[in-house]
Amino acid sequence: MIATIHQPQYLPWLGYFDKAARADIFILLDDVQFKKNDWQNRNKIRTSQGWQWLTVPVIHDFGQTIMEVKINNQTDWRKAHFQAINLNYRKAPYFDQYIDFFRSVYEREWEYLVDLNIFLIEKFIEFLGIKTRIVRSSKYHLEEKSTQRLIRLCNLVNVDTYIAGAGGSAYANFGEFEESRIHVIVQEYQHPVYPQLWQNSEKGFMSHLAAIDLLFNCGDRSLPVL
């Protein structure tokens, strides 16, 4: 059995879902410290001029965990995000297949960032046809930190293999995994090139965007591309 573990991000990129697709269990690490203006509350979409950020405004105190962070709904960010998606992807081949879903997402008022992120992640996994089981780390009420927290999570879900991101060695001691008899696989994701709006412009194909770019451009063919 294989697990991968990651913070719940906003509109994650393709490598995020590649890790999920390769695992049996995807643990969303929602009880660790929040990092503002990291991938937890923003991501990029393609535009005719290149790319633009979509950032969810938040209200938070230093040291708060991801699941404690509230969205700042004093600004009309939902309207701005939906308008940006609608404007920049309306000519995409699979626009009609997904736009009503995004309309419903941004018509809803979200209080906590984690609820928005996990809802989107679960739906993207469904759209992509990935069958991996998803659990939240907060359900286990762990006291361990850093590498030992990750190892404990792997033990709790009864896996013997852990998929780490390409930069995983910067935050986890792989030797401790091996000592705990958990084999570590380091993701080596090669970003695919696929038919993309404005691909023939002077900026060419743009990678490392939110996964909605793949969905709007490739639709039901997205998983093989991923």
Side-chain angles (χ1 to χ4, degrees):
M1 291 281 285
I2 303 172
T4 193
I5 304 172
H6 212 297
Q7 297 94 336
Q9 295 182 346
Y10 179 61
L11 301 175
W13 76 299
L14 301 189
Y16 191 94
F17 293 105
D18 174 73
K19 284 176 67 178
R22 294 175 184 275
D24 299 296
I25 300 173
F26 186 17
I27 302 174
L28 293 172
L29 200 61
D30 62 346
D31 55 354
V32 296
Q33 185 171 329
F34 172 74
K35 294 181 180 180
K36 187 178 181 181
N37 291 333
D38 195 20
W39 302 108
Q40 293 159 25
N41 71 310
R42 66 176 184 172
N43 223 306
K44 297 184 289 187
I45 63 170
R46 181 74 199 254
T47 74
S48 61
Q49 302 304 309
W51 55 266
Q52 76 173 75
W53 287 111
L54 295 184
T55 301
V56 180
V58 296
I59 305 168
H60 83 294
D61 296 319
F62 180 78
Q64 277 188 318
T65 62
I66 294 170
M67 65 181 183
E68 295 173 319
V69 173
K70 289 187 175 183
I71 295 173
N72 183 359
N73 285 307
Q74 296 303 308
T75 64
D76 202 355
W77 66 273
R78 291 179 291 136
K79 180 179 180 181
H81 286 209
F82 180 73
Q83 286 182 337
I85 291 169
N86 185 60
L87 173 65
N88 290 294
Y89 288 104
R90 61 188 177 186
K91 294 183 179 179
Y94 295 90
F95 175 81
D96 291 340
Q97 186 169 329
Y98 299 106
I99 193 58
D100 286 342
F101 164 72
F102 287 103
R103 180 179 289 107
S104 69
V105 169
Y106 294 113
E107 285 177 348
R108 176 176 169 181
E109 186 166 321
W110 301 88
E111 182 177 6
Y112 286 93
L113 178 67
V114 70
D115 294 332
L116 169 65
N117 286 358
I118 292 179
F119 179 79
L120 288 167
I121 289 165
E122 289 177 337
K123 291 301 293 186
F124 281 26
I125 281 177
E126 178 184 327
F127 290 150
L128 290 165
I130 296 170
K131 305 301 182 183
T132 304
R133 181 162 68 94
I134 299 174
V135 297
R136 296 191 187 196
S137 62
S138 57
K139 70 176 288 187
Y140 298 108
H141 307 288
L142 301 182
E143 295 182 359
E144 292 88 349
K145 305 296 182 183
S146 190
T147 301
Q148 286 302 311
R149 177 183 289 256
L150 303 180
I151 291 171
R152 178 69 172 146
L153 285 168
C154 288
N155 288 332
L156 286 167
V157 296
N158 298 310
V159 300
D160 55 18
T161 303
Y162 168 67
I163 300 177
S169 61
Y171 60 80
N173 185 328
F174 293 162
E176 292 183 34
F177 277 89
E178 298 297 341
E179 290 172 4
S180 300
R181 297 184 179 179
I182 299 171
H183 178 57
V184 177
I185 298 172
V186 178
Q187 182 191 36
E188 297 180 359
Y189 188 63
Q190 301 296 316
H191 199 290
V193 175
Y194 51 84
Q196 184 185 65
L197 288 177
W198 304 297
Q199 186 172 353
N200 295 325
S201 69
E202 62 179 23
K203 296 186 181 296
F205 179 83
M206 301 194 73
S207 66
H208 295 72
L209 302 173
I212 60 174
D213 190 78
L214 175 64
L215 287 173
F216 278 124
N217 283 295
C218 296
D220 298 336
R221 299 180 292 110
S222 293
L223 185 58
V225 173
L226 176 72

Short mmCIF file of all heavy atoms in Angstrom, two decimals, residues 181-210:
data_model
loop_
_atom_site.label_atom_id
_atom_site.label_comp_id
_atom_site.label_asym_id
_atom_site.label_seq_id
_atom_site.Cartn_x
_atom_site.Cartn_y
_atom_site.Cartn_z
N ARG A 181 10.79 1.07 8.40
CA ARG A 181 10.37 0.08 7.39
C ARG A 181 9.31 0.63 6.46
O ARG A 181 8.38 -0.07 6.05
CB ARG A 181 9.89 -1.21 8.07
CG ARG A 181 10.99 -1.90 8.88
CD ARG A 181 10.51 -3.21 9.45
NE ARG A 181 11.59 -3.86 10.21
CZ ARG A 181 11.47 -5.02 10.84
NH1 ARG A 181 10.30 -5.67 10.81
NH2 ARG A 181 12.49 -5.53 11.50
N ILE A 182 9.46 1.90 6.13
CA ILE A 182 8.59 2.52 5.12
C ILE A 182 9.49 2.95 3.97
O ILE A 182 10.40 3.76 4.13
CB ILE A 182 7.84 3.74 5.69
CG1 ILE A 182 6.94 3.31 6.85
CG2 ILE A 182 7.03 4.43 4.59
CD1 ILE A 182 6.32 4.47 7.60
N HIS A 183 9.25 2.38 2.81
CA HIS A 183 10.04 2.68 1.62
C HIS A 183 9.63 4.04 1.05
O HIS A 183 8.44 4.35 0.98
CB HIS A 183 9.83 1.59 0.57
CG HIS A 183 10.56 1.84 -0.70
ND1 HIS A 183 11.93 2.02 -0.78
CD2 HIS A 183 10.10 1.95 -1.99
CE1 HIS A 183 12.28 2.22 -2.02
NE2 HIS A 183 11.20 2.19 -2.78
N VAL A 184 10.61 4.84 0.67
CA VAL A 184 10.34 6.17 0.12
C VAL A 184 10.58 6.19 -1.38
O VAL A 184 11.63 5.75 -1.87
CB VAL A 184 11.23 7.24 0.79
CG1 VAL A 184 10.99 8.61 0.14
CG2 VAL A 184 10.95 7.30 2.28
N ILE A 185 9.60 6.69 -2.11
CA ILE A 185 9.73 6.94 -3.55
C ILE A 185 9.69 8.44 -3.74
O ILE A 185 8.77 9.11 -3.26
CB ILE A 185 8.58 6.29 -4.35
CG1 ILE A 185 8.59 4.77 -4.18
CG2 ILE A 185 8.68 6.67 -5.82
CD1 ILE A 185 7.37 4.09 -4.79
N VAL A 186 10.68 9.00 -4.43
CA VAL A 186 10.70 10.43 -4.70
C VAL A 186 10.08 10.70 -6.07
O VAL A 186 10.50 10.12 -7.07
CB VAL A 186 12.13 10.99 -4.66
CG1 VAL A 186 12.15 12.48 -5.00
CG2 VAL A 186 12.75 10.76 -3.28
N GLN A 187 9.06 11.52 -6.09
CA GLN A 187 8.38 11.84 -7.34
C GLN A 187 9.33 12.55 -8.30
O GLN A 187 10.03 13.49 -7.92
CB GLN A 187 7.18 12.75 -7.06
CG GLN A 187 6.36 13.10 -8.31
CD GLN A 187 5.34 14.20 -8.02
OE1 GLN A 187 5.61 15.12 -7.25
NE2 GLN A 187 4.17 14.11 -8.62
N GLU A 188 9.34 12.10 -9.53
CA GLU A 188 10.12 12.76 -10.58
C GLU A 188 9.16 13.09 -11.72
O GLU A 188 9.13 12.43 -12.75
CB GLU A 188 11.25 11.84 -11.06
CG GLU A 188 12.27 11.51 -9.97
CD GLU A 188 13.38 10.60 -10.46
OE1 GLU A 188 13.34 10.21 -11.64
OE2 GLU A 188 14.28 10.28 -9.66
N TYR A 189 8.36 14.11 -11.50
CA TYR A 189 7.29 14.43 -12.44
C TYR A 189 7.80 15.23 -13.62
O TYR A 189 8.44 16.28 -13.46
CB TYR A 189 6.19 15.21 -11.73
CG TYR A 189 4.95 15.41 -12.57
CD1 TYR A 189 4.20 14.32 -13.01
CD2 TYR A 189 4.52 16.68 -12.93
CE1 TYR A 189 3.07 14.49 -13.78
CE2 TYR A 189 3.38 16.86 -13.69
CZ TYR A 189 2.67 15.76 -14.12
OH TYR A 189 1.54 15.92 -14.89
N GLN A 190 7.52 14.72 -14.81
CA GLN A 190 7.83 15.43 -16.05
C GLN A 190 6.55 16.08 -16.57
O GLN A 190 5.62 15.38 -16.98
CB GLN A 190 8.40 14.45 -17.09
CG GLN A 190 9.66 13.73 -16.64
CD GLN A 190 10.82 14.68 -16.41
OE1 GLN A 190 11.07 15.58 -17.22
NE2 GLN A 190 11.55 14.47 -15.32
N HIS A 191 6.50 17.38 -16.51
CA HIS A 191 5.27 18.09 -16.88
C HIS A 191 4.93 17.85 -18.35
O HIS A 191 5.77 18.08 -19.22
CB HIS A 191 5.41 19.58 -16.62
CG HIS A 191 4.10 20.30 -16.54
ND1 HIS A 191 3.30 20.51 -17.64
CD2 HIS A 191 3.45 20.85 -15.48
CE1 HIS A 191 2.21 21.17 -17.27
NE2 HIS A 191 2.28 21.38 -15.97
N PRO A 192 3.71 17.40 -18.65
CA PRO A 192 3.35 17.15 -20.05
C PRO A 192 3.07 18.44 -20.81
O PRO A 192 2.75 19.48 -20.22
CB PRO A 192 2.06 16.33 -19.93
CG PRO A 192 1.44 16.81 -18.65
CD PRO A 192 2.60 17.08 -17.72
N VAL A 193 3.20 18.36 -22.11
CA VAL A 193 2.76 19.43 -23.00
C VAL A 193 1.49 18.95 -23.67
O VAL A 193 1.44 17.85 -24.20
CB VAL A 193 3.83 19.76 -24.05
CG1 VAL A 193 3.31 20.80 -25.05
CG2 VAL A 193 5.10 20.26 -23.37
N TYR A 194 0.45 19.75 -23.61
CA TYR A 194 -0.85 19.36 -24.16
C TYR A 194 -1.43 20.55 -24.93
O TYR A 194 -0.93 21.68 -24.82
CB TYR A 194 -1.79 18.93 -23.03
CG TYR A 194 -1.90 19.93 -21.89
CD1 TYR A 194 -2.77 21.02 -21.95
CD2 TYR A 194 -1.12 19.79 -20.74
CE1 TYR A 194 -2.85 21.93 -20.91
CE2 TYR A 194 -1.20 20.68 -19.70
CZ TYR A 194 -2.07 21.76 -19.78
OH TYR A 194 -2.15 22.67 -18.76
N PRO A 195 -2.45 20.34 -25.74
CA PRO A 195 -3.07 21.47 -26.46
C PRO A 195 -3.58 22.50 -25.46
O PRO A 195 -4.37 22.18 -24.57
CB PRO A 195 -4.22 20.81 -27.23
CG PRO A 195 -3.81 19.37 -27.36
CD PRO A 195 -3.08 19.04 -26.09
N GLN A 196 -3.15 23.73 -25.60
CA GLN A 196 -3.45 24.78 -24.63
C GLN A 196 -3.83 26.06 -25.36
O GLN A 196 -3.25 26.39 -26.40
CB GLN A 196 -2.21 25.02 -23.76
CG GLN A 196 -2.38 26.02 -22.64
CD GLN A 196 -1.05 26.25 -21.92
OE1 GLN A 196 -0.09 26.76 -22.51
NE2 GLN A 196 -0.98 25.86 -20.65
N LEU A 197 -4.81 26.77 -24.84
CA LEU A 197 -5.16 28.06 -25.41
C LEU A 197 -3.92 28.97 -25.47
O LEU A 197 -3.13 29.00 -24.52
CB LEU A 197 -6.24 28.75 -24.58
CG LEU A 197 -7.66 28.17 -24.63
CD1 LEU A 197 -8.57 28.94 -23.68
CD2 LEU A 197 -8.21 28.23 -26.05
N TRP A 198 -3.78 29.70 -26.56
CA TRP A 198 -2.69 30.65 -26.77
C TRP A 198 -1.31 29.97 -26.79
O TRP A 198 -0.28 30.62 -26.63
CB TRP A 198 -2.70 31.76 -25.70
CG TRP A 198 -4.00 32.47 -25.66
CD1 TRP A 198 -4.58 33.21 -26.65
CD2 TRP A 198 -4.94 32.49 -24.59
NE1 TRP A 198 -5.80 33.68 -26.26
CE2 TRP A 198 -6.05 33.27 -25.00
CE3 TRP A 198 -4.95 31.93 -23.31
CZ2 TRP A 198 -7.14 33.49 -24.18
CZ3 TRP A 198 -6.05 32.16 -22.49
CH2 TRP A 198 -7.12 32.92 -22.93
N GLN A 199 -1.29 28.67 -27.04
CA GLN A 199 -0.03 27.94 -27.10
C GLN A 199 0.84 28.42 -28.26
O GLN A 199 2.07 28.34 -28.20
CB GLN A 199 -0.31 26.45 -27.23
CG GLN A 199 0.92 25.56 -27.16
CD GLN A 199 0.54 24.10 -27.12
OE1 GLN A 199 -0.63 23.76 -27.01
NE2 GLN A 199 1.51 23.22 -27.20
N ASN A 200 0.20 28.91 -29.31
CA ASN A 200 0.94 29.34 -30.49
C ASN A 200 1.33 30.81 -30.43
O ASN A 200 1.84 31.36 -31.40
CB ASN A 200 0.10 29.08 -31.75
CG ASN A 200 -0.12 27.59 -31.98
OD1 ASN A 200 0.75 26.78 -31.68
ND2 ASN A 200 -1.30 27.24 -32.48
N SER A 201 1.08 31.45 -29.29
CA SER A 201 1.50 32.84 -29.13
C SER A 201 3.01 32.88 -28.89
O SER A 201 3.66 31.84 -28.74
CB SER A 201 0.77 33.48 -27.95
OG SER A 201 1.21 32.92 -26.73
N GLU A 202 3.56 34.06 -28.77
CA GLU A 202 5.01 34.20 -28.57
C GLU A 202 5.47 33.62 -27.23
O GLU A 202 6.63 33.24 -27.07
CB GLU A 202 5.41 35.67 -28.64
CG GLU A 202 4.78 36.55 -27.58
CD GLU A 202 5.22 38.00 -27.68
OE1 GLU A 202 5.65 38.41 -28.78
OE2 GLU A 202 5.12 38.71 -26.66
N LYS A 203 4.54 33.47 -26.28
CA LYS A 203 4.91 32.91 -24.99
C LYS A 203 4.92 31.38 -25.00
O LYS A 203 5.46 30.75 -24.10
CB LYS A 203 3.97 33.43 -23.90
CG LYS A 203 4.08 34.93 -23.69
CD LYS A 203 3.26 35.40 -22.51
CE LYS A 203 3.38 36.91 -22.34
NZ LYS A 203 4.74 37.32 -22.00
N GLY A 204 4.30 30.78 -26.02
CA GLY A 204 4.31 29.34 -26.15
C GLY A 204 3.52 28.62 -25.06
O GLY A 204 2.71 29.23 -24.35
N PHE A 205 3.79 27.33 -24.90
CA PHE A 205 3.12 26.54 -23.87
C PHE A 205 3.61 26.98 -22.49
O PHE A 205 4.80 27.21 -22.29
CB PHE A 205 3.40 25.05 -24.06
CG PHE A 205 2.76 24.18 -23.01
CD1 PHE A 205 1.45 23.79 -23.13
CD2 PHE A 205 3.49 23.76 -21.90
CE1 PHE A 205 0.84 22.99 -22.15
CE2 PHE A 205 2.92 22.98 -20.92
CZ PHE A 205 1.58 22.59 -21.05
N MET A 206 2.67 27.06 -21.55
CA MET A 206 3.04 27.43 -20.18
C MET A 206 2.68 26.27 -19.25
O MET A 206 1.55 25.78 -19.25
CB MET A 206 2.32 28.70 -19.74
CG MET A 206 2.62 29.90 -20.63
SD MET A 206 2.12 31.47 -19.90
CE MET A 206 3.37 31.65 -18.63
N SER A 207 3.66 25.84 -18.46
CA SER A 207 3.46 24.72 -17.53
C SER A 207 3.27 25.22 -16.10
O SER A 207 3.32 26.42 -15.84
CB SER A 207 4.66 23.78 -17.59
OG SER A 207 5.82 24.43 -17.08
N HIS A 208 3.03 24.28 -15.20
CA HIS A 208 2.92 24.55 -13.76
C HIS A 208 1.80 25.54 -13.43
O HIS A 208 1.93 26.39 -12.55
CB HIS A 208 4.26 25.04 -13.19
CG HIS A 208 5.34 24.01 -13.25
ND1 HIS A 208 5.95 23.63 -14.44
CD2 HIS A 208 5.91 23.26 -12.28
CE1 HIS A 208 6.85 22.70 -14.19
NE2 HIS A 208 6.85 22.45 -12.89
N LEU A 209 0.69 25.37 -14.13
CA LEU A 209 -0.50 26.16 -13.84
C LEU A 209 -1.47 25.32 -13.00
O LEU A 209 -1.26 24.14 -12.77
CB LEU A 209 -1.19 26.56 -15.14
CG LEU A 209 -0.36 27.37 -16.14
CD1 LEU A 209 -1.15 27.53 -17.44
CD2 LEU A 209 0.02 28.73 -15.58
N ALA A 210 -2.53 25.95 -12.54
CA ALA A 210 -3.59 25.22 -11.86
C ALA A 210 -4.14 24.14 -12.79
O ALA A 210 -4.19 24.31 -14.01
CB ALA A 210 -4.71 26.18 -11.45
#
